[in-house]
């Protein structure tokens, strides 16, 4: 949610970018992921990382050495 809103993307915009990158996902699925009601597959995680411009570790909530 943080990375998506920082880029000023709606859930529908993010879904469209995911689909352009080969992952078919609907806006409703992104909403469920953000609320913790749906798991993310490994290949979705990789594409989310690329589309949002953040690391997979960041998406998984892992803190870096500076935190």
């Amino acid at each position: 949610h943080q990375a998506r809103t920082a880029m000023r993307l709606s859930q529908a915009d993010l879904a469209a970018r995911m689909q352009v990158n080969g992952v078919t996902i609907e806006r409703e699925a992104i909403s469920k992921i953000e609320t913790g009601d749906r798991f993310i597959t490994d290949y979705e995680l990789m594409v989310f990382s690329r589309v949002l411009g953040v690391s997979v570790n960041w998406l998984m909530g892992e803190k870096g050495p500076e935190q």
Side-chain angles (χ1 to χ4, degrees):
H1 180 263
Q2 284 180 320
R4 177 180 63 78
T5 56
M7 292 180 67
R8 298 183 181 192
L9 292 175
S10 68
Q11 291 173 341
D13 292 336
L14 178 54
R17 288 187 184 202
M18 292 290 289
Q19 290 174 9
V20 166
N21 281 274
V23 173
T24 302
I25 192 167
E26 301 296 327
R27 186 210 59 82
E28 295 82 7
I30 291 174
S31 177
K32 288 182 179 183
I33 289 168
E34 290 181 351
T35 59
D37 294 329
R38 181 186 181 280
F39 290 105
I40 303 173
T41 64
D42 55 349
Y43 66 89
E44 289 173 336
L45 189 62
M46 298 299 292
V47 176
F48 273 118
S49 172
R50 183 171 48 238
V51 167
L52 294 171
V54 296
S55 70
V56 170
N57 288 346
W58 187 88
L59 286 173
M60 293 174 36
E62 294 179 12
K63 295 180 180 178
E66 68 281 354
Q67 294 180 331

